Amino acid sequence: MDIRIALAGNPNSGKTTLFNALTGSNQFVGNWPGVTVEKKEGKLKKHSDVIIMDLPGIYSLSPYTLEEVVARNYLINERPDAILNIIDGTNLERNLYLTTQLTELGIPVVVAVNMMDVVQKNGDKINIGELSRQLGCKVVEISALKGTGVMEAAEEAVRAAHETKTVPQHSFSGVVEHAIAHIEEAAVHTMPLEQQRWYAIKIFERDEKVLEQMKLAPSVLQHIEEDIKAAEVELDDDAESIITNERYLYIASIIKGCYRKKNVGKLSTS
Ligand code: BGO
């Protein structure tokens, strides 16, 4: 059976460049069902049984743009065998926001840190081993433009597809984890174990599309709502902002542990 690898990343992360490098002229272009968002898939060079699915460029798995909805519907409904998440190494903070969400889906994830030619030229350093440890998945350095590391990244994703699913390493604050645990128990316990956390976080955020899909009984919703409200009162913010803010705190701690900028603290001479 074919192995399906979804290529996911922010706009401008180099996704198109990587897709072309991995598939060459072996591409099929169409539209995602019902929408005019372009759908591209192609066979991985020298691996006729590996299909690379190019997802729309997105910053998040929230339900607010057509691209986000298309990408996340594919990820949660079609469940590819692995996700190759391309991130821009010159802009880790913004790009890791999507990564923190992809690692919660219960699908094997491999992260390809792109633009490494620029990172190196700038004299900056990314500790790949530490990044990998913090994210709980394999991380590969690439330059999609120069073609370095690209086949290794794809082959790492093929390997990951055969291995265990990525387990998210991040915990939200106590009151949020408490609510998520209750939601898992009350609303998503019949789902496969590895999918429960992503759905529970989305329900905590009151994600309309997930709530529509789940069709939870009013009594269950009411019970869950009490836990969400308790977190909102304790943290003095709305549920969706709580999740966003805590993701950025996590990302800040990752970057602190694995990224060194060359010229930090030095005065510019220009
Ligand atoms: C332009 N290294 C470098 N240096 N650049 C890269 C790399 C890399 O590893 N990978 C991609 N780029 P897309 P999305 C451009 O188009 O693949 C560059 O949105 C330009 N164009 O060449 O399109 C890539 O699909 C004029 O740059 O990304 C592209 O994810 C001047 O990153 C850009 C400079 O790549 C986005 C760059 C007319």
Side-chain angles (χ1 to χ4, degrees), residues 2-241:
D2 285 343
I3 292 173
R4 294 165 310 138
I5 311 254
L7 187 55
N10 287 186
N12 272 320
S13 58
K15 205 160 55 58
T16 307
T17 312
L18 177 60
F19 181 73
N20 290 339
L22 293 177
T23 60
S25 55
N26 207 339
Q27 300 183 1
F28 322 94
V29 181
N31 278 329
W32 292 92
V35 292
T36 52
V37 178
E38 188 179 77
K39 178 181 184 180
K40 278 195 299 185
E41 57 181 270
K43 288 198 167 161
L44 178 60
K45 283 179 186 169
K46 298 187 197 137
H47 296 72
S48 59
D49 60 336
V50 178
I51 294 177
I52 310 280
M53 177 65 71
D54 187 30
L55 299 182
I58 48 170
Y59 295 107
S60 167
L61 295 182
S62 56
Y64 299 127
T65 69
L66 198 54
E67 285 77 12
E68 287 170 351
V69 172
V70 163
R72 77 176 212 176
N73 281 351
Y74 179 78
L75 292 169
I76 60 179
N77 298 329
E78 306 297 322
R79 303 200 69 81
D81 300 301
I83 298 169
L84 182 55
N85 172 210
I86 178 169
I87 65 175
D88 176 353
T90 69
N91 208 331
L92 283 181
E93 185 180 25
R94 192 173 64 191
N95 282 251
L96 285 173
Y97 187 66
L98 177 64
T99 308
T100 63
Q101 299 173 61
L102 295 173
T103 55
E104 285 161 357
L105 287 164
I107 297 172
V109 177
V110 169
V111 170
V113 185
N114 191 32
M115 314 271 179
M116 282 309 296
D117 55 312
V118 184
V119 173
Q120 279 155 5
K121 196 166 127 240
N122 292 343
D124 301 337
K125 290 259 173 336
I126 299 174
N127 182 338
I128 295 295
E130 179 60 14
L131 185 58
S132 166
R133 194 184 66 77
Q134 298 240 23
L135 292 171
C137 67
K138 273 261 160 39
V139 179
V140 183
E141 295 173 282
I142 71 167
S143 167
L145 187 68
K146 301 196 182 288
T148 50
V150 296
M151 282 311 283
E152 290 83 345
E155 279 158 6
E156 215 41 92
V158 173
R159 247 192 302 282
H162 296 293
E163 290 168 10
T164 48
K165 309 192 166 56
T166 297
V167 177
Q169 302 297 300
H170 173 233
S171 301
F172 293 96
S173 58
V175 65
V176 177
E177 285 295 338
H178 181 83
I180 290 172
H182 269 182
I183 295 170
E184 284 182 354
E185 205 176 285
V188 299
H189 62 276
T190 54
M191 289 188 154
L193 198 60
E194 73 275 7
Q195 299 181 30
Q196 291 184 7
R197 187 168 174 85
W198 187 82
Y199 275 98
I201 294 168
K202 288 289 145 198
I203 293 172
F204 179 84
E205 291 178 303
R206 303 193 185 89
D207 181 297
E208 277 185 17
K209 292 232 159 18
V210 165
L211 288 173
E212 250 170 56
Q213 179 196 339
M214 303 288 296
K215 296 190 174 58
L216 300 171
S219 60
V220 172
L221 274 175
Q222 193 188 346
H223 172 71
I224 286 171
E225 200 40 47
E226 282 168 23
D227 285 316
I228 301 175
K229 288 232 173 71
E232 291 181 319
V233 168
E234 185 169 325
L235 300 171
D236 192 23
D237 211 342
D238 66 277
E240 198 177 354
S241 305

